[in-house]
Amino acid sequence: MTGTDTHSNAPIGVFDSGVGGLTVARTIVDQLPHESIIYIGDTANAPYGDKPLAQVQEYAKAVADELIARGCKLIVVACNSASAAFSDYARENYDIPVIEVILPAVRRATSTTRNGKVGVIGTTATVESGAYARTFDAHAGQIGSEVEVHQQACPLFVPFVERGITTGRQILGITENYLEPLKDAGVDTVVLGCTHYPLLSGVVQLVMGDDVTLVSSAEETAKTVYRTLSERGQLADTDPDREVTLSFESTGDPARFASLATRFLGPAITSVSQIPELLR
């Protein structure tokens, strides 16, 4: 499938089932301030994390097709559950870059770990998909360096983040319970395998200790976007008079999306438009 407009000033398309992918969008804005972005939160079908992967793939395809139809030069699947379900399909069926959040984080974690033991925390769907374990195995085959992967589902993290609860005794206790197996396994690196989780990096670091390195899939994905556009000669021009647009859209209630989004992107969210649900 071919995008309709892949010149350098075309927008970057970013999507997630909801607001979590805004941590990716925010990092892209920070690293690439001259790029225009269309962000779609598929909140009508959220959350993706507790749905079958085949269904998630259909939702992701519908949103990606919409972004391509609008002329995006690159698409970011800013959702670990959608990345697990959609990445193979995207690589086979699209001829513009589609960047997901799993491989960039795996690359960083592999290069960061000192003892070869890496923890991955994510939604139940992401963990059960085995996508991180497969990606670590594939990457190890490419570089000749194996990693022992320990995965832990943290299903309560997303609702806590969306309620704005990122500190306090309750979230600390939940985090200690979730991360105990990773501490027992002796991991020295933990991948924040959900785009909501950077907002919990403080409590995760506190529980794991300062000797454990946290890898943000959002941060590493933004770096991959920068590198990909640079290699393709598609970085937007830096003319200060050229308008840069940041568009935020939701397939569900835009008011609720905007309220949640301010926790992830702050005052940059000035308005949210509603678009029709793309796959019913």
Side-chain angles (χ1 to χ4, degrees), residues 114-239:
R114 304 176 303 280
N115 67 6
K117 297 180 180 181
V118 174
V120 176
I121 57 176
T123 65
T124 300
T126 296
V127 170
E128 291 183 350
S129 75
Y132 269 97
R134 289 195 304 273
T135 305
F136 270 107
D137 286 344
H139 189 56
Q142 294 171 5
I143 66 173
S145 177
E146 293 188 5
V147 170
E148 182 181 306
V149 181
H150 300 267
Q151 299 189 80
Q152 177 63 48
C154 304
L156 292 177
F157 275 0
V158 168
F160 267 82
V161 168
E162 294 198 348
R163 284 157 52 198
I165 302 173
T166 57
T167 61
R169 295 175 63 89
Q170 189 176 17
I171 190 64
L172 176 60
I174 290 169
T175 304
E176 289 174 334
N177 183 58
Y178 280 152
L179 300 186
E180 184 176 358
L182 301 186
K183 295 184 72 174
D184 290 344
V187 304
D188 71 353
T189 303
V190 173
V191 175
L192 304 179
C194 172
T195 50
H196 282 69
Y197 293 1
L199 278 72
L200 292 171
S201 60
V203 68
V204 172
Q205 191 76 73
L206 177 65
V207 171
M208 293 304 299
D210 290 340
D211 291 338
V212 174
T213 301
L214 303 187
V215 174
S216 166
S217 57
E219 182 75 22
E220 300 309 318
T221 299
K223 292 175 184 176
T224 301
V225 170
Y226 189 111
R227 183 173 63 250
T228 300
L229 291 178
S230 179
E231 290 172 350
R232 291 170 63 89
Q234 287 189 314
L235 289 169
D237 71 58
T238 58
D239 180 354

Side-chain angles (χ1 to χ4, degrees), residues 232-275:
R232 291 170 63 89
Q234 287 189 314
L235 289 169
D237 71 58
T238 58
D239 180 354
D241 295 326
R242 184 180 64 82
E243 182 181 11
V244 175
T245 60
L246 303 177
S247 172
F248 303 97
E249 302 174 9
S250 168
T251 58
D253 180 3
R256 172 169 168 72
F257 181 94
S259 175
L260 289 171
T262 55
R263 296 177 188 155
F264 291 78
L265 206 59
I269 299 285
T270 55
S271 65
V272 176
S273 303
Q274 184 172 17
I275 61 173

